[in-house]
Amino acid sequence: MARSLVHIVAPEDDGMRLDALAAARKLYPSRSAAVKAIEEGRVFVNGESLAKKAAVCAGDTIVYEVSEEAPRTHLVGQPIDLDIRYEDDYLIVLSKQVGLVCHPSPDHFDGTLVNALIYHCGADNLCNVQGERDRLGIVHRLDRDTSGLMLAAKTDEVGQSLMDDIRDRIVDRHYLALVQGVIPHDTGMIDAPIARADRERTRMAVSDSASARDSITTFTVLERFDAGPKDDGYTLVDCKLFTGRTHQIRVHMNYIKHACVGDPVYGSGSVAMQLGLTRQFLHSYRLAFTHPATGEDLEFVDGLPADLARALESISDRSRGRTEAGETAYAAIGKGSLR
C-alpha cells in the first residue's frame, strides 16, 4: 500500500539535487531511501520523473509516493541452510538457492538471506553499508528465483569496497541463461537503459525516461538447439553483467527477443515451451574478484542446479554442438553437473 504526498520546493532550496532535497526535507528517511524511490519512478517533479541528480527550482511541485507498510517485527536470525563456498573474517561467498529472497520486503518479512546470515554470523558481524538494518551483509542481490553465486560482507570496510568494485565493474560476474530462439551471432552487447515500467511498477523495462539508468550486458553463445514442433529452438548463453540493475539480464534478453526460458514475468510462449521449469533459467555460475582485505585473487564456479540441468538434458538431442566458449564453460562446471 502506498500514498502520494506533495512538497513545494522552498526558495532556499532552489538548485538542490532532487535526492538531496528529498532527504533533507524528510520526504524519505534517508538519502539512500530517496534515491531508491527516485530510481523506481515514485517521485515526480511538475509531473515528470527526473534523475536523482536533477536540480529542482523554487516553486516546483514534487509528488512522491511513500509506503504504508505493516510494522515489522525485529529482524532475527533464522536457521536457513546456506551453501557456503568460501568464508573468512571479512566476507562470504555462497550459492543462493532458488526461492530465497535476499532481504526483507513488504511481501517477505522473514525467511530471507539476511535472516540466515544473522543466524550464521550474528547481526554485529555483518556489514551495514546500505544504511538499512534489514540489509545486513548484503552488497548485491540475486532475484528470488535466480540461483547461484553471490557475495556477502562482514565488515563495513569490506562491504563498501565490494560495492565499489561492483559499481566500477571490477567484480567479474557471469550467468548461464537458456533463452528462447536461436541467436545466430556468437557474441553481443546490449547497452540499453532500464527503468521501472510505466504501467506495471513491479516490472522493469528498457526505457529512455529520465529515471532510466545505464545498463550493459554482454553475452557469449555456448550452445544452440534446433527448433522443435512447439518452439523456435533455444540458445545457451554466458551473460556478463557490467551493471547491476533489477532484473537486468531478464529485461535485456527479452528486449532482443530472446527471453529467458521459464521466465514468469518477461518470458513468452506456452507452458509447453518452458521445458518443465517453474522459474527462469538463470544461474550465477562464475564469480571472480580481488579480496578487499587480503589482495588475493579469488574465482568460483558453481554447477547447474538439478532443475536447470534437467531442462538442458531434455533438449540435448537437438544440440547443434558447442562453441569454443561453450566447451570451456562446460569443462568448468562439469557436464550435467547437479547439486
Side-chain angles (χ1 to χ4, degrees):
M1 182 73 69
R3 61 191 177 111
S4 295
L5 300 175
V6 177
H7 176 82
I8 306 299
V9 178
E12 60 267 27
D13 293 335
D14 186 80
M16 284 186 70
R17 280 175 55 128
L18 178 57
D19 57 349
L21 177 135
R25 299 303 169 224
K26 304 300 182 184
L27 277 59
Y28 293 96
S30 67
R31 188 157 178 168
S32 63
V35 169
K36 180 179 179 183
I38 294 166
E39 291 176 345
E40 290 179 348
R42 295 189 282 117
V43 180
F44 301 89
V45 181
N46 300 327
E48 295 185 31
S49 179
L50 302 182
K52 63 183 179 182
K53 62 183 178 181
V56 298
C57 299
D60 281 349
T61 299
I62 299 177
V63 178
Y64 60 103
E65 294 181 357
V66 295
S67 299
E68 295 182 323
E69 301 177 5
R72 284 185 182 157
T73 57
H74 178 65
L75 199 61
V76 297
Q78 294 176 306
I80 300 168
D81 288 340
L82 290 177
D83 184 359
I84 294 175
R85 304 302 176 85
Y86 175 90
E87 181 176 9
D88 60 19
D89 292 337
Y90 306 99
L91 58 83
I92 295 174
V93 178
L94 60 94
S95 179
K96 188 187 79 67
Q97 60 264 45
V98 173
L100 184 63
V101 175
C102 282
H103 58 72
S105 68
D107 297 326
H108 296 88
F109 292 118
D110 57 10
T112 70
L113 175 59
V114 169
N115 297 104
L117 289 171
I118 291 174
Y119 184 85
H120 179 72
C121 300
D124 293 336
N125 298 312
L126 293 167
C127 76
N128 188 28
V129 291
Q130 297 205 43
E132 308 278 354
R133 289 294 296 176
D134 61 357
R135 300 191 182 188
L136 298 179
I138 302 298
V139 295
H140 70 122
R141 293 175 291 175
L142 295 179
D143 297 339
R144 179 184 64 183
D145 288 330
T146 296
S147 53
L149 297 170
M150 65 177 296
L151 288 160
K154 294 184 177 182
T155 70
D156 285 354
E157 293 78 13
V158 166
Q160 188 61 59
S161 181
L162 288 173
M163 288 184 67
D164 291 344
D165 286 350
I166 290 171
R167 181 198 62 214
D168 295 339
R169 306 174 185 178
I170 297 172
V171 177
D172 199 24
R173 296 175 290 163
H174 290 258
Y175 294 70
L176 289 174
L178 185 69
V179 301
Q180 295 180 346
V182 177
I183 299 176
H185 38 285
D186 285 349
T187 61
M189 172 184 285
I190 308 165
D191 185 352
I194 291 176
R196 289 278 170 186
D198 291 335
R199 296 183 179 179
E200 297 180 70
R201 307 305 292 174
T202 58
R203 290 171 57 101
M204 308 300 291
V206 169
S207 171
D208 59 1
S209 71
S211 62
R213 303 176 68 188
D214 291 343
S215 307
I216 300 173
T217 306
T218 62
F219 65 84
T220 301
V221 170
L222 305 180
E223 190 170 7
R224 298 180 178 91
F225 300 87
D226 286 330
K230 297 182 179 180
D231 61 68
D232 295 325
Y234 302 96
T235 306
L236 182 67
V237 293
D238 173 318
C239 291
K240 179 177 179 178
L241 285 179
F242 286 88
T243 52
R245 311 306 176 212
T246 300
H247 301 172
Q248 179 173 318
I249 292 174
R250 298 163 63 189
V251 171
H252 272 171
M253 297 313 294
N254 181 54
Y255 177 66
I256 64 169
K257 310 302 181 186
H258 291 287
C260 290
V261 172
D263 193 325
V265 177
Y266 305 100
S268 59
S270 66
V271 174
M273 294 173 63
Q274 306 308 304
L275 308 182
L277 292 172
T278 57
R279 54 107 168 192
Q280 62 269 9
F281 192 121
L282 189 59
H283 180 65
S284 172
Y285 87 104
R286 188 153 66 87
L287 180 65
F289 62 98
T290 300
H291 195 299
T294 68
E296 182 182 3
D297 290 330
L298 299 173
E299 181 173 4
F300 301 88
V301 177
D302 191 15
L304 281 175
D307 61 335
L308 303 187
R310 283 194 298 267
L312 274 185
E313 181 61 28
S314 72
I315 55 172
S316 60
D317 60 339
R318 293 200 254 160
S319 175
R320 295 184 182 179
R322 299 169 188 164
T323 64
E324 183 177 347
E327 293 290 355
T328 300
Y330 271 92
I333 65 173
K335 181 180 178 180
S337 178
L338 302 178
R339 61 171 181 81

